[in-house]
């Protein structure tokens, strides 16, 4: 029985806490500093649940199960699948944002509402999906580290799978879970920025803003995966992880610029409206 890497366990614990508490802090900030309504945050979370947890992700899991062998042997199919995953992520999530601002949030179409919506959307993803997966990863680390495959009543191929899983955990750097926490922060900024962009569909009356959000979302997802895989193949797992996070950082910086730009535009529009009334 191998000893559990306490540094890795602590790293997972910190990442899980961040995945859950960061969205809570963001929601409180949006409520206190921006005056965002609970309804807006709630529909942001609901949009993620409807567009991912209850629809797209189950379909993706089923499709990947049936294509699992082909995806391992065909690089062309894997590339096509990455494109499909990226496009569907953009279509499902941005359509959910569009519908929310068109229907239940038709009276909440200001910059601050888009920010609150993005916080709810990205917050549920971080706390429930990513935090849940990190918790599952922590359980696997502890359980597999203490497990002796030779004592299990399993078939030889099953024992080999357990041994492979133990080797994967043993090769995992203790700080890797912290990268996942860092990614959540960047992803939150991107979710807010995409919500601000989709809102322009109604403020400016042009459908191109919706398609811009879909395209940006798809490109962001695809580049993050592809750059990470290329770096992993060329220089190893650590390089792949850092390359992927570098892409998240670039997307977050662009997203921050988008958020601040439209904040200024929103403020100028309000000022012009007030002046027109006086």
């Amino acid at each position: 029985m191998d000893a559990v890497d306490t540094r890795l366990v602590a790293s997972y614990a910190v990442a899980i806490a961040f995945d859950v508490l960061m969205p809570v802090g963001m929601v409180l900030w949006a409520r206190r500093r921006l005056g965002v309504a609970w309804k807006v945050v709630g529909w942001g979370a609901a949009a993620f649940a409807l567009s991912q947890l209850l629809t797209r992700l189950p379909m993706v899991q089923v499709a990947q199960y049936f294509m699992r062998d082909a995806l391992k042997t065909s690089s062309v199919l894997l590339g096509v699948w990455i494109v499909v995953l990226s496009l569907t992520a953009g279509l499902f999530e941005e359509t959910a944002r569009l519908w929310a601002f068109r229907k239940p949030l038709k009276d909440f179409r200001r910059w601050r509402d888009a920010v609150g919506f993005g916080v709810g959307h990205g917050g549920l993803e971080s706390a429930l999906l990513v935090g849940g997966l990190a918790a599952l990863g922590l359980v696997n680390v502890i359980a597999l580290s203490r497990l002796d495959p030779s004592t299990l009543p399993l078939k030889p191929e099953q024992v080999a799978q357990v041994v492979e899983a133990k080797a994967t955990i043993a090769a995992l750097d203790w700080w890797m879970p912290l990268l996942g926490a860092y990614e959540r922060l960047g992803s939150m900024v991107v979710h807010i920025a995409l919500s601000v962009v989709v809102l322009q569909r109604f403020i400016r009356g042009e459908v191109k803003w919706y398609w811009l959000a879909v395209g940006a979302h798809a490109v962001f997802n695809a580049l993050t995966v592809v750059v990470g895989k290329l770096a992993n193949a060329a220089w190893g797992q650590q390089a792949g992880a850092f390359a992927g996070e570098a892409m998240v950082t670039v997307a977050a910086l662009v997203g921050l610029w988008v958020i601040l730009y439209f904040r200024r535009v929103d403020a100028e529009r309000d000022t012009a409206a007030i002046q027109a009334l006086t």
Side-chain angles (χ1 to χ4, degrees), residues 1-276:
M1 183 176 66
D2 300 326
V4 179
D5 188 342
T6 55
R7 296 177 305 169
L8 183 60
V9 172
S11 180
Y12 264 110
V14 171
I16 293 168
F18 185 83
D19 292 340
V20 174
L21 296 179
M22 181 270 291
V24 174
M26 290 291 291
V27 169
L28 295 177
W29 168 81
R31 287 277 299 160
R32 177 172 296 183
R33 295 296 299 273
L34 303 180
V36 173
W38 281 114
K39 180 178 180 178
V40 173
V41 175
W43 272 110
F48 177 76
L50 292 171
S51 63
Q52 289 283 19
L53 298 180
L54 301 178
T55 52
R56 178 179 173 273
L57 288 181
M59 290 189 289
V60 165
Q61 292 300 313
V62 171
Q64 284 188 162
Y65 174 79
F66 287 107
M67 295 192 300
R68 62 190 185 280
D69 294 331
L71 288 172
K72 293 178 182 179
T73 57
S74 174
S75 58
V76 174
L77 180 60
L78 179 60
V80 172
W81 186 235
I82 291 173
V83 172
V84 170
L85 290 177
S86 301
L87 283 175
T88 55
L91 283 170
F92 274 62
E93 291 192 58
E94 304 319 314
T95 300
R97 294 185 220 268
L98 184 74
W99 175 83
F101 282 119
R102 183 187 299 277
K103 296 292 184 179
L105 297 180
K106 63 182 179 179
D107 296 324
F108 297 86
R109 292 179 179 174
R110 297 184 60 181
W111 175 85
R112 66 180 183 184
D113 300 314
V115 172
F117 187 94
V119 168
H121 192 104
L124 185 66
E125 179 184 41
S126 179
L128 188 60
L129 182 60
V130 179
L133 291 175
L136 182 60
L138 176 57
V139 170
N140 287 335
V141 165
I142 296 174
L144 288 174
S145 296
R146 297 177 178 275
L147 195 63
D148 184 356
S150 63
T151 63
L152 301 175
L154 300 175
K155 297 178 180 179
E157 59 270 20
Q158 293 174 321
V159 172
Q161 292 175 354
V162 175
V163 171
E164 182 180 359
K166 286 175 65 68
T168 300
I169 289 175
L172 190 64
D173 292 300
W174 67 267
W175 43 262
M176 286 293 285
L178 298 178
L179 285 183
Y182 172 78
E183 181 179 326
R184 283 304 93 204
L185 187 60
S187 295
M188 178 68 84
V189 175
V190 172
H191 277 302
I192 295 172
L194 289 172
S195 300
V196 170
V197 171
V198 170
L199 182 62
Q200 304 311 305
R201 162 65 183 88
F202 301 99
I203 292 177
R204 298 167 184 255
E206 298 174 321
V207 73
K208 69 179 183 181
W209 294 99
Y210 160 73
W211 289 112
L212 178 61
V214 171
H217 194 144
V219 169
F220 162 60
N221 280 19
L223 283 179
T224 301
V225 174
V226 171
V227 169
K229 284 184 175 294
L230 290 176
N232 186 25
W235 301 294
Q237 183 182 16
Q238 291 186 2
F242 280 112
E245 298 312 320
M247 293 306 303
V248 173
T249 301
V250 171
L253 291 174
V254 173
L256 183 60
W257 178 85
V258 169
I259 295 167
L260 296 178
Y261 171 79
F262 282 108
R263 180 185 184 181
R264 178 174 60 82
V265 171
D266 192 68
E268 291 174 352
R269 186 174 59 251
D270 288 348
T271 301
I274 293 173
Q275 291 176 346

